[in-house]
Amino acid sequence: MIQRFLALTKKDIINGYRNYFFVVTIFIAVFFGLVINFIVPEDTSIKPDLYIYNSYDGEYVGLMDGIIEGSQQKHSNMYMLKSKREVVENMKDNFNSIGLVILEKSGLPNMEFIMQGYENEKIVNTLILSMEDDIKKKIYGDINIDTIVLKQDMELADIPFNKSILPMFLVMEPVLLGFIMILALVFMEKDEGTIKSYMVSPGGVSEYLAAKIVFMIILGWISAVISTLMVVGVNADYIKLLSIVTVGGIFASGLGLIVSSFFDNLSKSMVWIMIVSILLSLPFISYFVPSFAPNYIRLIPTYSLLFAMKEAVFPTGNTAIIYNTLITFCILAVINYILALLVYRYNLSKM
Amino acid sequence: MKRILAIFKRDIISSLREFMLIYMMVAPILLAIGLRFFIPSVGSASIQFAVDNSVDKDIIDIFNRYGNVERYDSVEDVKKRVNSIDDIAGVIVDEKNNFKLILEGNESHDTEEIPKKIIRSIKYEDGLNTGHSITDIGIKNSPIATIGTTSLIIMAIVMGGIVIGLNIIEEKESGTIRSLIVSPMSKIEFILGKSVIGVILPIIQVYIILWILGMANVNIYMVLILTLISMLLTITMGFLIGVISGNQIAGIANLKLLFLIVSLSIIGAIMLPQSKQFLLYWAPPYWSFIGFRDILLHNITWYQLFIYCLWILGLSTIIFMLVRKKINNRLS
C-alpha cells in the first residue's frame, strides 16, 4: 500500500513537473517577494486621507494650530489646503478621504466636517468625538484611563504595510493553491482515462487521493518558504508556518477533490472554483479591518487561518491562536478527506 | 461570416448542452447578489465594545453612538471575548465606579484609543463650546461597493477570455481543432468565431452586475466602450493560453499568471499612493480598473476615457504583436 502511494506521489510530481507546476509556483512566489520588497510602500494606510482648510485666527488660534500640528506629526495622511473648494475637489478625486474646514464664528472655531456621503453615523460621531477630545485634552489636560492588558508578554512590533500582506499571500497561494491545482490534475486524468485504468487495478481511491494531496502540500511548502524567506528572512517560525500550510493544504485539496468529483472538466467547474475562492477570500477584509468580523466571516475557515499565519510569520508569543487553528484544521482536513473519498467512490462507481 | 456564426452557434450549442453557458452566466450574477448583501454589512462596520452588565444603560447608549456594543454577564466573559481573534475593546466599571478598559494587547490604534476618548468625553466637563456641522459631497456608494463592483466587472471580462482559452484546450484535447484546420475555414474566421461568445457574455454580465448592485445610473455608453476595449486583452490572453497549453493542467498553470497580473493591477490601484501608480502603467487591467472605477464614481470625462482606452489599446496591441506569431504557429 505504501509502495503504491509512493509510486502515485512520484507520478503526480513528474506530471506536475512536466506541466510547469513547479516553475509557476516558484515564479509566483519570487515575483510576490520582489513586489513586496521593492514596489509596495512600507507606510501605506487604508485609513482615509484628511484634507484641511483652516482659516480660523481668533482667540484660540494657538490651540487649534497646536492640535493640527500634533495630529500631523502622528498621521502622515493629513493635508493642509488653501480653500474649501480645494478640499472638496481633492475629496472628489479620492473617495477614501474626508474634509475639515475650520472657520471663525463669534470668535470661536467652527468646524465643518465634510464627508463623502456613504459613511455611517457612528463613523461621523467618532470623528467629531476625536476632534473634541483633542481640544479638551489641550484645555483640561489628559485623563488617564485604567487599562488592563491581557497579554502583556506579547512582543508587538510595528509591521510595515508591505510585509503585512504576506499572510494573505500565504493563505491564497500555498494553501488555496491546492484547491485549484488538484482539480486540474484530476480532470487531466479523467480525460486521459487514467482513473478508469486505475480503478481496475488493485490500488484504492484513498491512496490515489492522498498522493495528490501530498503533491499539493509539497508545492505549498515550496511557495511558502520562498515567499516568507524573501519577505521576512529567518524571523518567521517556519515549523509552525509549514504546519499551518500542511493542514490548510489538506483542507483546500480535499475541497478541490470534492468539487472535482461533480464535474467532467475544468470549464464546467470554473464557476464554482471562482465562487469558492471568493468566499474563502472574504476574511481578507477582516484582516485589514480587524474590528469588522461578523459571524458569517468568522465561520469561514480561512478567517482563523489568516490570523494564525500572521502569528507564524510575525511571532508575538500568542501561540494559542496557532494551536487552536491547527486543531480546527486537522479536524476539517480529516472531514474533507473522508468526504472526498466517499464522493469519489460514489461517482467512480457510476462511471 | 457564415462560418464565424457557425463556430459561434456550435460553441453555444455545446455550452448549453453541458449547462456551461448557464454556469458562466449565473456565476457573476450570484456573486453580484452576494456582494449586494455584503456591502451594507461592511458599510456599517465600526469599533466593537464588550461591556459587562455593571455598566449603566445610559453609558451603554453613549458607547452605542460610536460602535457596536456586546453585553456580557461577567468580567470574565468580557475578558474571554476580548481574547478572541478580532478587535474588540472591553469596558467595565469597578466597585469604586471607575471605568476600566480591557485590551488584549494587539489591537489597532482606533480600538485602543476610541474607548478612551469616549470615557474622557463622559468625564470632561463642558468647556469651550466649538460649533460643528456635517455636510457631504453626495457620494452614496462606499469604497467597498465601488471596488467590489469594479472587480466583479473585470472578473466578468476576464472570464470571457478564460472561456475562449479553455474551449480551445478542450478542442485540442478532443482533436476537433485538427479537423477544423483541414476544413476550408481560415484561421481568422476560427479566431473570430471563437471570440464571439467571449465578447457577448461579458457585455451582458457587466450590465446585469451594474443593475443588481444598483449602479445602473452610470453612463452606459462609456461602460460599453471600456468593456469592449478591455476585452481585447482578455481575448488575446485567452487564445494564447488556449494554444500554448497542451492540456487543462498547463492551462490552469498559465491562467494563474493571468490572474496574478489582474489581481496585482487591482490591488495596486487600490493600495498604491498616487505617486507610485506609474508602476502599474504597463498593465492593461490597471487602466480598465481605474476606468470602470471612475465611471462608477461619475468622475470621468470622455477625454479621460479616451486616454484610458488608448493605453489599453496600445498595450494590448503590443502584447498581441508579441504573441501573434505563437498563436499563428500553434493553430497551424
Side-chain angles (χ1 to χ4, degrees), chain B residues 73-181:
Chain B
D73 290 334
S74 67
V75 175
E76 277 317 303
D77 286 346
V78 171
K79 286 182 180 173
K80 206 173 152 194
R81 177 68 184 92
V82 170
N83 263 327
S84 56
I85 295 174
D86 58 331
D87 267 15
I88 185 163
V91 180
I92 57 169
V93 176
D94 67 12
E95 55 284 354
K96 288 178 188 163
N97 228 15
N98 286 327
F99 285 103
K100 276 193 175 169
L101 190 61
I102 303 176
L103 297 171
E104 191 182 3
N106 58 357
E107 286 82 0
S108 64
H109 178 264
D110 282 355
T111 304
E112 202 179 315
E113 288 303 316
I114 301 296
K116 289 181 185 169
K117 288 176 193 276
I118 298 171
I119 297 169
R120 276 198 293 266
S121 78
I122 296 167
K123 290 189 166 188
Y124 278 131
E125 291 167 21
D126 281 344
L128 177 63
N129 201 9
T130 55
H132 65 253
S133 58
I134 298 146
T135 56
D136 66 61
I137 58 169
I139 307 288
K140 295 297 169 209
N141 293 322
S142 68
I144 291 283
T146 311
I147 292 168
T149 310
T150 312
S151 306
L152 219 51
I153 288 174
I154 303 277
M155 198 192 95
I157 294 171
V158 172
M159 285 279 260
I162 294 176
V163 174
I164 294 172
L166 293 179
N167 269 344
I168 293 175
I169 296 172
E170 276 162 27
E171 295 209 7
K172 269 165 70 177
E173 285 180 330
S174 61
T176 38
I177 210 158
R178 280 191 199 158
S179 326
L180 286 170
I181 285 163

Side-chain angles (χ1 to χ4, degrees), chain B residues 206-253:
Chain B
V206 165
Y207 286 106
I208 294 177
I209 289 168
L210 287 172
W211 176 70
I212 290 174
L213 290 165
M215 297 200 186
N217 62 339
V218 291
N219 188 325
I220 54 167
Y221 303 108
M222 283 185 168
V223 171
L224 181 66
I225 289 170
L226 195 54
T227 306
L228 285 170
I229 299 280
S230 302
M231 278 185 314
L232 288 178
L233 176 78
T234 52
I235 290 172
T236 309
M237 295 308 285
F239 267 96
L240 182 67
I241 287 166
V243 295
I244 63 167
S245 310
N247 51 38
Q248 298 198 22
I249 199 169
I252 278 288

Side-chain angles (χ1 to χ4, degrees), chain A residues 37-54:
Chain A
N37 284 322
F38 300 110
I39 296 180
V40 183
E42 286 184 8
D43 55 354
T44 301
S45 165
I46 56 162
K47 283 195 165 188
D49 291 334
L50 177 62
Y51 298 113
I52 304 175
Y53 166 56
N54 179 14

Side-chain angles (χ1 to χ4, degrees), chain A residues 19-21 24 27-28 31 35 39-41 44 46-47 60 63 75 88 91-93 95-96 108-118 120-126 128-130 132-137 139-143 145-151 154 156 161 173 177 180-181 184-185 187-188 191 263 265-268 270-272 274-275 278 282 285 288 290-294 296-298 303-304 307 318 321, chain B residues 18 20 23-24 27 30-31 38 41-48 64-68 70 79 81-83 85-87 92 99-106 108-111 114 116-121 123-144 146-147 155 159 162 166-167 170 173 247-250 252-257 259-260 264 271-273 276 279 293 297 299:
Chain A
N19 288 288
Y20 308 110
F21 269 33
V24 170
F27 174 80
I28 290 178
F31 186 72
V35 168
I39 296 180
V40 183
T44 301
I46 56 162
K47 283 195 165 188
Y60 299 99
L63 176 83
H75 308 287
V88 173
M91 284 178 68
K92 280 183 178 167
D93 286 340
F95 63 8
N96 189 26
L108 291 171
N110 187 285
M111 283 170 282
E112 180 186 354
F113 293 95
I114 308 176
M115 314 303 291
Q116 292 282 342
Y118 57 75
N120 68 49
E121 197 190 343
K122 290 177 178 179
I123 288 175
V124 177
N125 289 343
T126 307
I128 297 165
L129 172 83
S130 292
E132 285 180 347
D133 184 66
D134 284 345
I135 294 171
K136 286 181 178 170
K137 251 195 315 200
I139 298 171
Y140 305 113
D142 202 354
I143 297 176
I145 312 293
D146 278 352
T147 306
I148 302 165
V149 178
L150 299 176
K151 290 174 183 161
M154 269 202 281
L156 292 176
F161 175 80
E173 231 347 78
L177 166 123
I180 300 172
M181 292 271 195
L185 260 181
F187 288 135
M188 195 184 75
D191 275 350
F263 301 95
N265 58 41
L266 207 53
S267 317
K268 282 188 191 169
M270 205 64 203
V271 169
W272 300 105
M274 290 215 155
I275 290 178
I278 290 174
L282 279 183
I285 299 174
F288 280 114
S291 56
F292 174 72
Y296 64 86
I297 290 221
R298 276 189 252 172
Y303 176 74
S304 61
F307 286 91
N318 184 14
I321 187 171
Chain B
E18 297 180 320
M20 198 34 216
Y23 283 146
M24 301 306 276
L30 277 180
L31 288 172
F38 184 62
S41 135
V42 182
S44 62
S46 56
I47 308 284
Q48 304 184 99
N64 250 325
R65 290 214 295 260
Y66 304 103
N68 299 323
E70 293 175 17
K79 286 182 180 173
R81 177 68 184 92
V82 170
N83 263 327
I85 295 174
D86 58 331
D87 267 15
I92 57 169
F99 285 103
K100 276 193 175 169
L101 190 61
I102 303 176
L103 297 171
E104 191 182 3
N106 58 357
S108 64
H109 178 264
D110 282 355
T111 304
I114 301 296
K116 289 181 185 169
K117 288 176 193 276
I118 298 171
I119 297 169
R120 276 198 293 266
S121 78
K123 290 189 166 188
Y124 278 131
E125 291 167 21
D126 281 344
L128 177 63
N129 201 9
T130 55
H132 65 253
S133 58
I134 298 146
T135 56
D136 66 61
I137 58 169
I139 307 288
K140 295 297 169 209
N141 293 322
S142 68
I144 291 283
T146 311
I147 292 168
M155 198 192 95
M159 285 279 260
I162 294 176
L166 293 179
N167 269 344
E170 276 162 27
E173 285 180 330
N247 51 38
Q248 298 198 22
I249 199 169
I252 278 288
N254 292 320
L255 275 175
K256 274 177 78 74
L257 294 177
F259 275 125
L260 186 74
L264 275 180
M271 295 291 189
L272 284 182
K276 288 209 171 180
L279 293 167
R293 183 197 65 191
L297 289 170
N299 201 12

